Amino acid sequence: MTTTLPITQVRRKPGAFKIAIDPRITDPASFRVSFLILLDGDLVMSPEHLGVAYMAAVLRQVGVTAEIREVVHGEEDDAVAHLAEYRPRLVCFTLMSLNVASCQRVAALIRERLPDTVIACGGPAGTFAGLDVLRNNPNVDVVAVGEGEPVILDLVQKLYLGESLAECPGVGLRLPDGELKQNPPRPVLHDLNVLPFPARDQLEQHGNKLEYVRVSTSRGCVAHCTFCSAPHLKNRAQPGKPWRARDPRIVVDEVEELVKRYQFRTYDFVDSTFEDPDGGRVGKKRVTAIANGILERGLDIYYNVCMRAENWSDDDNELLDLLVRSGLEKVNVGIESGVPEELELWEKRATVANNATIIRLLREHGVYLAMGFIPFHPYATAETLVQNAEFLRQNAGHNLRRLTERLEIYPGTAILRRIEGDGLLADGYWDTLDPYGYHFADPRVERLAKHYASLYNNDDYHRHGVITEQSSVFEFETFNVVVQTFISRLYRRFHQVPGANEVIQGFKDWVHGVRQECGQFNFEFFMQNLDDVLNDRLDLAKQRSDVEAIDHHYRQRINQIKSEQLRVGRALHRLGCAVAEISSSLPPVRPGGAPRSYSTEGASAVW
């Protein structure tokens, strides 16, 4: 039975949140809300958006009708036509830098078909550039700042009752006279345990089959990386604690429910840092409780997390063993650089030695490393590029994109403020929020950045960082994850079968050798192109030849590994191992983009 309280009593103290509805709202189900997921950029390969899922769950708990609807890149007209049949009173977008243009197109279509529907935007772009969003997208009525659950609940009630939003905390809005107004933000949620489990509409819409399902065990971060727009110590848009956690028991309850209801096994824990709040005794005690809970309940799952390099050393081998036993198979680490001065630029707490240590530790434990790395940025030099290439050659440099990655700039970040202050921000940035909307202090580095981006034979990636074609470079990167999880799952399930461990270890060592070879190939290729560009020896014919050479090299490596993988599977089958039990396959390629190797933007439960 739903509790009914006046809106003014819902938040009794800063950060408190009671999921309740105003007693004047007699028919909440008549109010329809549609959350639109624009399948661009980070949300393409595994599209589930956890922030939206939490907001939908909160609205449903008080009886409001809420849906989650995906909008596929290139199919916007059909999506809006079907949306019009649903007749929502409120449509919500989660806005990130990569989908600003898509949001403008879809919002215009909605305004044409549904002129009386309120259109709202949130997410990182809405949080940190809300008034710019309103200024540049005339079809948006409201922007939301920060965590979405209290805002959406208040917003829906005020719209239902016909009340003004002029004093509604946590929103920016377009007033009747056209003036733009930004209201003060709400405090962050203090107790995450009051939230219902997020709605799993998208999982069900995909036939209970996604690359992974997202789970949040905490919100916020105690780091202060200058390029990051996820809520952390230095870029908080809302007052309150920078980091909060859910009870480990409730986290495991949620995973257990997902396993039982959907028979789903692969999860992505989206915490900015899994071992926060301190990366030490307190944080690792919480991590240990989650891992033990998974094992105690017999949940046969696999999962990914984000970690920070400085938090892990050889003293943590026992905990890493526990995490692997409970299902850990992939870790995102923001390595970012092999140059001390650049780590200072990013205000990373990790040293180059810390970075090398966690790369080694994860390799020794059979855990795949998804590495964030930023060699190209406005302050990069030819010397730092060479130092980073050397670091990658020695430490997990088998994915070519790590050598050529460009900084993406987001509103609300310290690095964006510095770039703007140094006169390196591109004209019109605040109109487009283009993540590559900046110039380089060294024009030679700018030429190199654009040259390397063009080598992937994809104009969308070159200009916007959006992948609309799957070249072999990108396929190899994704395939690498599949191969590593193949190895880790084989070991976890069959290592006690006589003879199996030798087969698995042999394949693991062989794959490591192939990756080392790729790392050397990448280094030599990078250095040759760097030399050609710096000395103005590059022509269009060579560039086209390079594109073909890269594609051929990585296509050969993929086929080579697949052949060896089949041989290993047959060898294990002869030993009595049912290899099909752990099978993984490449996710289908879809238009509109592909996920970054490491990104925290949009991971928090914000619009």
Side-chain angles (χ1 to χ4, degrees), residues 227 333-338 342-343 346 348 372-375 388 598:
F227 55 81
V333 182
I335 300 293
E336 315 310 355
S337 179
E342 288 187 333
L343 294 176
W346 307 132
K348 301 291 291 186
F373 209 73
I374 315 174
N388 277 319
Y598 177 76

Side-chain angles (χ1 to χ4, degrees), residues 117-358:
T117 294
V118 175
I119 300 177
C121 286
T127 294
F128 293 109
L131 294 187
D132 292 289
V133 170
L134 290 171
R135 191 173 296 113
N136 294 303
N137 192 338
N139 295 303
V140 172
D141 303 299
V142 180
V143 293
V145 173
E147 293 176 327
E149 296 90 353
V151 177
I152 193 68
L153 184 57
D154 203 355
L155 182 60
V156 164
Q157 294 180 88
K158 289 183 181 300
L159 292 174
Y160 181 102
L161 296 169
E163 297 179 350
S164 171
L165 302 180
E167 305 304 323
C168 181
V171 304
L173 68 154
R174 202 184 305 278
L175 296 173
D177 62 1
E179 181 184 351
L180 304 182
K181 182 185 181 189
Q182 181 69 63
N183 291 336
R186 298 168 185 266
V188 295
L189 297 181
H190 179 76
D191 181 9
L192 301 182
N193 295 323
V194 304
L195 295 173
F197 291 162
R200 296 296 173 177
D201 297 37
Q202 289 183 272
L203 176 59
E204 294 172 1
Q205 290 165 11
H206 288 266
N208 301 343
K209 294 180 180 179
L210 289 174
E211 184 184 6
Y212 46 75
V213 163
R214 292 183 165 103
V215 174
S216 173
T217 83
S218 69
R219 291 185 184 179
C221 182
V222 299
H224 36 75
C225 302
T226 59
F227 55 81
C228 183
S229 66
H232 62 63
L233 280 173
K234 286 192 174 181
N235 71 355
R236 282 176 287 170
Q238 300 173 266
K241 293 182 177 181
W243 182 89
R244 295 135 292 137
R246 298 168 67 201
D247 187 292
R249 177 184 54 80
I250 294 176
V251 171
V252 180
D253 285 345
E254 181 183 356
V255 174
E256 184 174 30
E257 180 179 291
L258 290 167
V259 170
K260 291 180 177 178
R261 177 179 295 182
Y262 301 108
Q263 292 75 55
F264 201 86
R265 300 174 63 196
T266 307
Y267 298 89
D268 185 26
F269 290 160
V270 299
D271 309 48
S272 291
T273 306
F274 192 49
E275 68 276 14
D276 265 349
D278 60 350
R281 183 183 61 82
V282 175
K284 288 172 182 174
K285 181 179 178 181
R286 187 182 74 91
V287 167
T288 299
I290 292 173
N292 281 328
I294 291 169
L295 291 170
E296 288 165 3
R297 301 195 200 185
L299 301 178
D300 185 15
I301 66 166
Y302 306 100
Y303 61 90
N304 315 321
V305 303
C306 296
M307 293 177 173
R308 290 205 306 275
E310 69 270 21
N311 294 336
W312 299 89
S313 70
D314 286 301
D315 294 335
D316 297 304
N317 279 305
E318 185 176 341
L319 176 54
L320 287 169
D321 284 338
L322 172 67
L323 294 174
V324 170
R325 288 200 307 276
S326 68
L328 179 66
E329 62 179 5
K330 177 184 171 187
V331 171
N332 294 322
V333 182
I335 300 293
E336 315 310 355
S337 179
V339 181
E341 293 77 14
E342 288 187 333
L343 294 176
E344 293 177 9
L345 174 68
W346 307 132
E347 292 193 30
K348 301 291 291 186
R349 295 173 180 171
T351 64
V352 174
N354 292 148
N355 287 337
T357 294
I358 196 167

Side-chain angles (χ1 to χ4, degrees), residues 560-580:
Q560 181 185 13
I561 295 172
K562 283 182 177 179
S563 296
E564 189 66 13
Q565 192 176 7
L566 287 172
R567 187 194 67 78
V568 167
R570 288 194 295 267
L572 291 172
H573 181 74
R574 288 193 294 270
L575 294 172
C577 302
V579 176

